[in-house]
Amino acid sequence: AIVSARWNPIVCESLTQGCVDAMHACGVAAADIFVEHVAGAYELPFAAQVLLESKRYDGVVCIGCLVKGETMHFEYISEAVTQGIMNLNLKYNTPVIYGVLGVLNEEQAK
């Protein structure tokens, strides 16, 4: 399964499509790929946990893009998402992949 943030759609949609393409290249059938969208990166760990608890997926890829701004918001969100995804990997016997970009500006994300 893939959980993708809607925030920064140009970047996240491209990353999500690249993930789907990579899964196809590895022989995963289109019917076996589920993509869930959430508002932003902060919601990724919770959505991934819901998918893990369904026990329907062999793994979950979390996709997002965090752009550093002038406030501490970037650091708080980055830390929360990173810890959340790490904790899911420790709690479940299913891989949760960290596909969250942390960039200084939009240009770096592209």
Side-chain angles (χ1 to χ4, degrees):
I2 301 168
V3 181
S4 181
R6 287 188 190 100
W7 195 259
N8 296 315
I10 293 171
V11 175
C12 290
E13 288 172 8
S14 178
L15 291 171
T16 300
Q17 187 57 54
C19 186
V20 169
D21 293 346
M23 288 178 163
H24 287 307
C26 291
V28 179
D32 293 331
I33 299 173
F34 176 75
V35 179
E36 181 65 60
H37 291 91
V38 295
Y42 191 78
E43 291 78 22
L44 291 171
F46 177 74
Q49 181 174 342
V50 170
L51 295 174
L52 289 168
E53 289 181 355
S54 76
K55 299 185 181 189
R56 294 178 52 209
Y57 306 101
D58 294 326
V60 179
V61 180
C62 296
I63 295 175
C65 180
L66 297 167
V67 180
K68 185 168 178 63
E70 306 263 335
T71 67
M72 293 294 293
H73 184 257
F74 172 84
E75 283 81 4
Y76 299 143
I77 300 299
S78 294
E79 180 69 16
V81 172
T82 301
Q83 291 296 320
I85 292 172
M86 181 199 63
N87 287 334
L88 293 174
N89 276 294
L90 295 172
K91 182 177 180 181
Y92 296 89
N93 287 328
T94 304
V96 182
I97 308 304
Y98 186 89
V100 181
L101 295 179
V103 298
L104 297 176
N105 54 57
E106 301 251 351
E107 193 59 37
Q108 286 183 335
K110 297 174 184 175

